Amino acid sequence: MIALITGATAGFGKATAELFAKNGWDIIICGRRKERLASMAAELSKKYNVKISELSFDVTQLDEVKNAIASITGSWKNIDLLVNNAGLAVGLSPIQTGEIDDWERMINTNIKGLLYMTRLVAPIMIENKKGHIVNIGSVAGKEVYPNGNIYCATKHAVDALNRAMRIDLVQHGIKVTSIAPGLAETEFALVRFKGDADRAKTVYNGIDPLKGEDIAEAIYWAATRPAHVNILDIVLTPAAQGNSTTVIRK
Ligand code: NDP
Ligand code: 8X3
């Protein structure tokens, strides 16, 4: 079995690559940080005796995505699972003062990057007559929270696209699943707050947040149901999170 995972250099993607490798899957790991991809490939292939292929590209650059997917040849084209995971939040500001550059980055990565990947990988799956696409949404795609405006909008778009692509692809036997996590401790908050580690830590103060491994398990479970079962949407939060704005901190 072969999984292609975007955003595999950190957080959910990294944990997912590890869990699938542990279960004997070969994996195409993607991300911009080449050194991380190289060390992960060496580590996972040795530890789990599976094949790991590295593709370093930026999901927001259509030419890079096209070249990366075109470079997948031979048995690697037999992709069983695409995990559309690469994504980010940048900034947390009211709509009237938000940085427009931050908005562009979120829209380009979370929506356009996911679309480019899907547009280029789905035809391969259709040709193979099999496949499964897992889109990483968020609780921010189910509700909105103060200052979350553009990030929430991008994840609402992922939620809509998840449902839309399912009805387009069902006739080809391709499953489509959304995984929508709440607060999870990864590099996400550090990216959102542009490297401010102290501010990033406050996001998880006094709670036991989700970990990358929790999301990896949800993805793995959805990807390994019997052929006749499709999981549409998994929403998971830390036990301390009631919704985006109700978080019980000790
Ligand atoms: P991390 O910051 O830990 O990981 C993000 C990954 O996305 C990295 O591997 C990064 O790789 C990759 N990425 C970002 N931008 C690009 C790009 N332009 N091109 C290619 N790869 C890119 O965050 P998480 O693991 O937490 O986030 C993964 C997904 O989960 C995102 O879609 C996020 O919105 C979503 N999410 C996160 C939650 C959380 O609380 N952590 C909760 C709900 C959803 P590199 O920098 O090497 O390119
Ligand atoms: C990430 C979770 O609550 O920070 O998607 O938006 S949240």
Side-chain angles (χ1 to χ4, degrees):
M1 299 289 275
I2 296 176
L4 189 162
I5 303 170
T6 66
T9 55
F12 301 168
K14 187 168 189 228
T16 302
E18 169 111 26
L19 182 61
F20 277 75
K22 193 176 172 185
N23 283 281
W25 289 53
D26 296 326
I27 307 177
I28 304 170
I29 50 174
C30 308
R32 291 165 301 181
R33 286 171 285 185
K34 278 189 184 160
E35 309 73 30
R36 287 200 186 190
L37 291 174
S39 64
M40 275 181 73
E43 188 194 324
L44 294 179
S45 54
K46 190 170 167 207
K47 198 165 162 190
Y48 300 115
N49 194 26
V50 293
K51 291 195 221 89
I52 307 287
S53 169
E54 303 150 48
L55 282 182
S56 176
F57 62 97
D58 184 332
V59 295
T60 69
Q61 303 301 312
L62 181 56
D63 285 347
E64 288 189 32
V65 181
K66 280 184 178 168
N67 289 338
I69 303 307
S71 76
I72 301 172
T73 53
S75 58
W76 280 110
K77 283 190 94 168
N78 214 19
I79 300 165
D80 296 284
L81 175 70
L82 164 65
V83 183
N84 272 326
N85 165 70
L88 77 185
V90 197
L92 186 68
S93 303
I95 196 88
Q96 62 275 22
T97 56
E99 294 281 343
I100 290 175
D101 280 354
D102 295 349
W103 298 1
E104 311 274 17
R105 282 184 65 197
M106 290 186 274
I107 291 165
N108 289 341
T109 311
N110 301 354
I111 305 177
K112 291 169 78 176
L114 179 142
L115 285 173
Y116 296 160
M117 287 302 301
T118 305
R119 175 64 183 83
L120 291 160
V121 174
I124 299 174
M125 291 180 163
I126 290 171
E127 206 178 314
N128 294 343
K129 297 189 170 57
K130 60 161 189 175
H132 190 164
I133 298 175
V134 171
N135 295 308
I136 305 302
S138 169
V139 293
K142 307 288 183 186
E143 54 181 319
V144 292
Y145 53 83
N147 304 324
N149 41 59
I150 311 305
Y151 179 68
C152 295
T154 66
K155 288 299 181 179
H156 275 70
V158 172
D159 197 57
L161 286 167
N162 182 68
R163 286 177 279 136
M165 68 176 79
R166 183 183 306 119
I167 54 180
D168 293 342
L169 293 170
V170 67
Q171 64 185 307
H172 299 289
I174 295 167
K175 296 182 184 180
V176 179
T177 299
S178 148
I179 308 284
L183 288 166
E185 192 163 14
T186 59
E187 294 175 11
F188 177 85
L190 196 61
V191 172
R192 172 169 246 172
F193 299 124
K194 303 177 184 177
D196 183 340
D198 290 335
R199 190 169 176 203
K201 273 195 205 118
T202 63
V203 174
Y204 312 109
N205 267 352
I207 61 160
D208 192 3
L210 295 174
K211 309 280 187 293
E213 291 73 16
D214 300 314
I215 284 72
E217 280 183 12
I219 297 170
Y220 187 75
W221 181 78
T224 53
R225 291 310 83 214
H228 69 285
V229 178
N230 185 30
I231 303 301
L232 305 192
D233 196 6
I234 297 178
V235 186
L236 66 164
T237 68
Q241 184 173 19
N243 69 8
S244 286
T245 50
T246 311
V247 180
I248 305 305
R249 299 183 191 270
K250 293 201 184 90

